[in-house]
Amino acid sequence: MKTIYILITSMVLMFSLKSNAQIVKAEIRATGLTCSMCSNAINKQLKTVPEVVNVEIDLNSNTFTVTLKEGNELSPKIFKEKVEKAGFFIGSLVVTAKSNTITQSSYIMVNDKKSNASEIQFQVVDKGYVTEKEFKKLSKSYKNIDTYASNNEDDFHIKMIN
């Protein structure tokens, strides 16, 4: 009887792992780039992440579209770290993720927009994920959200897009 219980428990755990929260794609608009060598530095840093499948670069808008492996458990923090390691900053980070991603305690919604889609898009609106000017404006808008001003690196304040 104990063996059957262990077998069933193992199977439940195995199947539940596939439905883990995950980021599917990240669109990063970087600031401070002046040439193609700058974008190459960010591209190289992003490609060091094992979960990255592909990085597409739009030099006109300084946007990097990062496609990730299925089943990853990355957070937006990794993108910030990699862009900053290359010597630049994030001006905007829009994430496409499985809908259950935002149910994790590290994600805090700043708008009431809901979505029933299996994949959702949201923008991270914390300091370091938007420009300084945008952050100052957002700080006034989100002054009623206690956690927004705390700048906790492990909390991600998000604004739903779809």
Side-chain angles (χ1 to χ4, degrees):
M1 186 67 167
K2 192 174 184 177
T3 308
I4 293 173
Y5 175 75
I6 292 172
L7 181 64
I8 291 172
T9 305
S10 298
M11 289 178 65
V12 168
L13 284 173
M14 208 166 55
F15 288 113
S16 67
L17 289 176
K18 288 193 176 205
S19 65
N20 274 349
Q22 69 173 349
I23 296 175
V24 176
K25 180 173 70 170
E27 295 174 35
I28 305 164
R29 188 174 45 80
T31 61
L33 281 75
T34 57
C35 65
S36 61
M37 293 301 288
C38 296
S39 63
N40 193 35
I42 295 173
N43 184 31
K44 283 182 179 178
Q45 281 299 315
L46 291 170
K47 286 186 174 180
T48 64
V49 179
E51 293 86 354
V52 170
V53 173
N54 187 35
V55 178
E56 293 178 22
I57 306 167
D58 181 350
L59 293 174
N60 293 326
S61 63
N62 294 331
T63 302
F64 299 80
T65 303
V66 183
T67 308
L68 300 164
K69 291 179 183 174
E70 191 171 324
N72 72 75
E73 294 183 15
L74 297 177
S75 76
K77 189 175 184 178
I78 189 73
F79 304 113
K80 181 177 181 272
E81 289 171 353
K82 291 301 180 179
V83 170
E84 288 178 354
K85 189 171 183 181
F88 303 95
F89 300 98
I90 292 180
S92 170
L93 175 62
V94 175
V95 175
T96 303
K98 299 290 184 188
S99 60
N100 62 340
T101 301
I102 61 170
T103 60
Q104 296 178 1
S105 62
S106 59
Y107 291 98
I108 302 164
M109 299 256 304
V110 296
N111 63 348
D112 292 329
K113 193 170 185 180
K114 303 272 190 239
S115 176
N116 293 329
S118 62
E119 286 187 1
I120 55 170
Q121 264 194 329
F122 57 86
Q123 180 180 7
V124 180
V125 293
D126 289 306
K127 186 173 188 168
Y129 297 91
V130 294
T131 63
E132 280 293 321
K133 183 179 179 181
E134 182 72 13
F135 180 73
K136 286 179 184 176
K137 189 176 10 173
L138 291 171
S139 292
K140 292 175 186 172
S141 299
Y142 302 139
K143 66 183 174 192
N144 295 335
I145 301 172
D146 296 332
T147 56
Y148 191 73
S150 69
N151 290 330
N152 181 352
E153 287 282 323
D154 296 320
D155 286 339
F156 303 102
H157 294 83
I158 60 171
K159 180 173 74 174
M160 295 292 292
I161 296 174
N162 74 342

